[in-house]
Amino acid sequence: VVEITDVASAGITVTKDASPLSLDEPGGTFTFDVSVTNDSAVDVVTIDTLTDDIYGDLDGQGDCSVPQTLQPGESYSCSFDGAFAGNAGDSQTDIVTASGTDDDGAIVSDTDDAVVEITNVASAGITVTKDATPLSLDEPGGTFTFDVSVTNDSAVDVVTIDTLDDDVYGDLTTATNSDCTLNQVLQTPATYWCIVERLLPDNTGASQTVTVPASG
């Protein structure tokens, strides 16, 4: 009488990689490459499930499919795309798990993860525009209307304007005859407008240069 005895399963090894490893904000689509290797020298392994803790069941995503039967030492590879968006500095770690059984009925399973991140895009800043209507008045002068606009020039960053000052009239949000307000949130792209009315001093030939810095 002779018999064949079991060799303990060597299991499987899962490898997961991401390409690219980072994208400029606001992010986008990453490609994930997954491979499963049968580490056994004798056992055939059948992979029944291939799942990702963020993107779910990978069967049917990209070119991934299960079940897969792996001969001793054989590997199976597939790839799929996953979206990740966020602000600069955000990162995502997602884990893929492969599991199944060998031809002796032993359960085999392994995991691996990949980390992707969102990198910063330098701010394009803001553009402030100020116009006066009219540009002149006969003496003794009178009221001029100043139109102020602030534009977010960035393609990705949301900007909050928290100061809006005038070198002659001061804080435009507290000035009389002004509809300017602070904490204006400018999307990409967006522009904020406001109006200030002011009386130019009664001096023949008088002129006034008014500068409005905005920041945030």
Side-chain angles (χ1 to χ4, degrees):
V1 178
V2 294
E3 65 177 333
I4 308 299
T5 56
D6 185 37
V7 175
S9 176
I12 58 175
T13 297
V14 173
T15 302
K16 182 177 186 182
D17 297 301
S19 178
L21 295 176
S22 64
L23 285 173
D24 288 341
E25 58 180 331
T29 299
F30 295 84
T31 298
F32 298 97
D33 299 306
V34 179
S35 69
V36 184
T37 300
N38 178 6
D39 297 325
S40 175
V42 293
D43 289 319
V44 176
V45 168
T46 299
I47 302 301
D48 298 314
T49 62
L50 192 60
T51 59
D52 187 285
D53 67 336
I54 292 178
Y55 301 110
D57 186 358
L58 297 182
D59 184 26
Q61 295 197 50
D63 59 358
C64 297
S65 65
V66 287
Q68 294 289 331
T69 300
L70 305 181
Q71 299 299 317
E74 186 179 13
S75 295
Y76 167 71
S77 298
C78 68
S79 63
F80 68 96
D81 291 337
F84 173 53
N87 292 317
D90 289 347
S91 65
Q92 173 181 277
T93 301
D94 60 293
I95 303 169
V96 67
T97 302
S99 60
T101 56
D102 67 14
D103 54 9
D104 297 317
I107 295 175
V108 293
S109 182
D110 193 34
T111 64
D112 194 26
D113 62 41
V115 180
V116 294
E117 64 177 346
I118 309 299
T119 52
N120 186 48
V121 175
S123 177
I126 59 176
T127 298
V128 175
T129 302
K130 184 177 186 184
D131 298 303
T133 305
L135 294 177
S136 65
L137 284 174
D138 291 338
E139 59 177 332
T143 300
F144 292 81
T145 298
F146 298 97
D147 298 298
V148 179
S149 71
V150 184
T151 300
N152 176 10
D153 297 324
S154 175
V156 295
D157 288 317
V158 176
V159 169
T160 301
I161 302 302
D162 50 31
T163 65
L164 195 59
D165 294 321
D166 188 290
D167 67 337
V168 174
Y169 303 120
D171 184 352
L172 295 184
T173 64
T174 60
T176 56
N177 297 324
S178 169
D179 64 358
C180 298
T181 58
L182 289 184
N183 297 317
Q184 297 295 328
V185 178
L186 305 183
Q187 301 297 320
T188 55
T191 299
Y192 169 68
W193 287 271
C194 65
I195 296 174
V196 183
E197 292 184 347
R198 273 295 177 264
L199 181 66
L200 189 67
D202 181 9
N203 293 319
T204 301
S207 67
Q208 193 175 76
T209 300
V210 183
T211 303
V212 179
S215 62

